[in-house]
Amino acid sequence: MLSVFRVDASLQIGTGHVMRCLTLADELRRHGASARFICRGEPGNLNALIQSRGYEVAVLASQEEELPGCAALLTGNRPDWIIVDHYALGADWERAARHWTGKLLVIDDLANRNHDCDVLLDQNLYDGVEQRYAALVPRNCRQLIGPRFALLRPEFAEFRRKIARTAQPVSRLLINFGGADSSNETARFVELVRGQLSASVAIDVVVGPANPHAAEIRALAEGQRNIAVHAGTDRMAELMSLADAFVGAGGSTTWERFCLGLPSLVVAVAENQIPTAQYLGKLGAIDYIGPASQLSADAIRTSLSRFLMDHDRRSKMAELGMQLVDGHGAQRVVECLLNISRA
């Protein structure tokens, strides 16, 4: 079975779409299927990373090349599935893609446009999530909704088996603001955190592969024996399992943290992160303190102090997160695609 992914990363878009598609591609490969990618070459793209993982990448030069470029690449080389994870593409693109493929999977979390697909995946959690796409997809579309289908790499389930979370003081903190972090929230929060925490608390700072501020962040950590900067790391599952608490952005790493029971103080760095963060905050699964652009330094310090001091609340977050995400979502999605292909 061949799947073709249409997905982009950039400084503006971020890296989350490509990273979750890579996770799905890897799971498909473990089941004997193959995958290729079609991507743009915008600044901050992850095309080299995709290729380093063993996948062919065809690069579209411009927005005007979108449909004719995809048609040229796919006509005569019909994949079994096209998997599209892109906010700028909707039903019109998907109807055109019907000429090039057997089936379509759409990955979305906005629910703001119509889709013409066979399967829709939204791994996020909102109030009324089960009905979000009722009027936006065909009647026979299979909907995979909620964090039960979260696309996590296998190592998260592996580290999960080794974890025993308890209510205790924070001795190790993890900071991460996604793969791009164009507004450099990482540097702002590292400065605030290092001024508030004891030097006995170890701080791991994860800098994404498309982050343009990596040198500045390393400079902030220079000479700080308790701060380690990890750039473009593949050890995220390990670092999350070692940490007692997390400070950073929402987005797709939410489900990684839930799988490993890592309690989180969360800010939104993009509009699409807000609905899920607000709902998870109401559930008590995270401590959501608002959009990063609206938070003053004093507000962050107050929220951080409250979060770090409330051991019982963090323990309840850990328990609820692990109930919501078990780490086997990618396998469930692939099994769905394979079953549909065999039918």
Side-chain angles (χ1 to χ4, degrees):
M1 187 177 88
L2 170 64
S3 296
V4 172
F5 288 81
R6 176 64 191 95
V7 62
D8 288 333
S10 72
L11 294 178
Q12 182 179 10
I13 295 172
T15 63
H17 300 277
V18 165
M19 297 308 293
R20 66 188 180 189
C21 283
L22 275 172
T23 296
L24 185 54
D26 288 347
E27 189 66 27
L28 283 162
R29 187 159 56 187
R30 276 187 287 274
H31 282 75
S34 57
R36 293 169 23 217
F37 284 73
I38 299 174
C39 305
R40 296 273 296 278
E42 301 293 333
N45 72 77
L46 296 182
N47 296 349
L49 175 64
I50 298 170
Q51 291 171 323
S52 75
R53 297 273 284 268
Y55 299 106
E56 176 186 334
V57 180
V59 180
L60 298 175
S62 65
Q63 185 175 349
E64 291 72 26
E65 192 188 340
E66 180 67 46
L67 282 175
C70 290
L73 290 166
L74 296 172
T75 299
N77 190 18
R78 187 178 177 88
D80 300 280
W81 286 89
I82 289 178
I83 299 171
V84 55
D85 186 349
H86 207 299
Y87 294 155
L89 304 178
D92 290 343
W93 189 96
E94 292 149 14
R95 276 191 288 270
R98 291 285 186 190
H99 298 290
W100 317 322
T101 187
K103 300 289 183 182
L104 274 158
L105 163 65
V106 167
I107 303 175
D108 190 21
D109 46 39
L110 296 182
N112 66 347
R113 63 205 187 280
N114 291 322
H115 293 292
D116 183 1
C117 56
D118 301 282
V119 180
L120 182 132
L121 167 63
D122 185 342
Q123 64 183 10
N124 296 289
L125 193 59
Y126 321 83
D127 191 14
V129 66
E130 297 293 343
Q131 301 302 318
R132 290 187 90 216
Y133 296 92
L136 300 177
V137 298
R139 191 171 294 180
N140 62 347
C141 174
R142 175 79 182 273
Q143 296 184 44
L144 308 179
I145 303 294
R148 184 169 180 269
F149 299 99
L151 299 174
L152 305 189
R153 299 188 303 279
E155 57 262 34
F156 287 92
E158 294 168 9
F159 275 98
R160 175 190 175 93
R161 290 192 288 269
K162 307 172 186 177
I163 287 175
R165 297 288 187 190
T166 57
Q168 61 182 7
V170 172
S171 62
R172 192 165 190 143
L173 181 72
L174 178 63
I175 298 175
N176 174 241
F177 281 88
D181 187 20
S182 58
S183 62
N184 203 11
E185 300 302 328
T186 304
R188 179 162 76 124
F189 274 76
V190 168
E191 286 192 286
L192 289 170
V193 165
R194 74 176 184 178
Q196 189 165 346
L197 294 184
S198 162
S200 64
V201 177
I203 302 171
D204 290 302
V205 183
V206 173
V207 178
N211 192 314
H213 310 288
E216 178 184 347
I217 295 163
R218 287 193 184 95
L220 283 174
E222 192 171 346
Q224 305 288 323
R225 297 182 62 182
N226 63 322
I227 302 179
V229 177
H230 310 266
T233 183
D234 59 0
R235 296 176 53 221
M236 187 61 99
E238 178 187 358
L239 292 171
M240 286 184 177
S241 71
L242 293 171
D244 302 305
F246 171 92
V247 173
S252 56
T253 59
T254 297
W255 315 118
E256 297 172 354
R257 300 193 302 269
F258 278 20
C259 181
L260 297 176
L262 181 59
S264 303
L265 180 76
V266 173
V267 302
V269 297
E271 286 293 322
N272 65 298
Q273 293 181 3
I274 294 175
T276 292
Q278 287 177 331
Y279 185 64
L280 293 175
K282 290 178 182 176
L283 287 181
I286 64 173
D287 187 348
Y288 174 59
I289 60 173
S293 60
Q294 299 177 17
L295 294 171
S296 68
D298 285 343
I300 293 169
R301 291 189 190 98
T302 299
S303 297
L304 180 63
S305 178
R306 181 189 66 235
F307 172 68
L308 295 177
M309 292 298 294
D310 196 338
H311 309 326
D312 289 337
R313 186 181 181 209
R314 292 199 318 276
S315 181
K316 290 174 183 175
M317 288 182 194
E319 182 179 353
L320 180 54
M322 295 183 83
Q323 289 173 2
L324 289 169
V325 180
D326 65 4
H328 299 293
Q331 182 175 342
R332 293 186 181 100
V333 174
V334 168
E335 288 173 352
C336 173
L337 302 188
L338 292 172
N339 289 337
I340 291 174
S341 292
R342 292 170 185 144

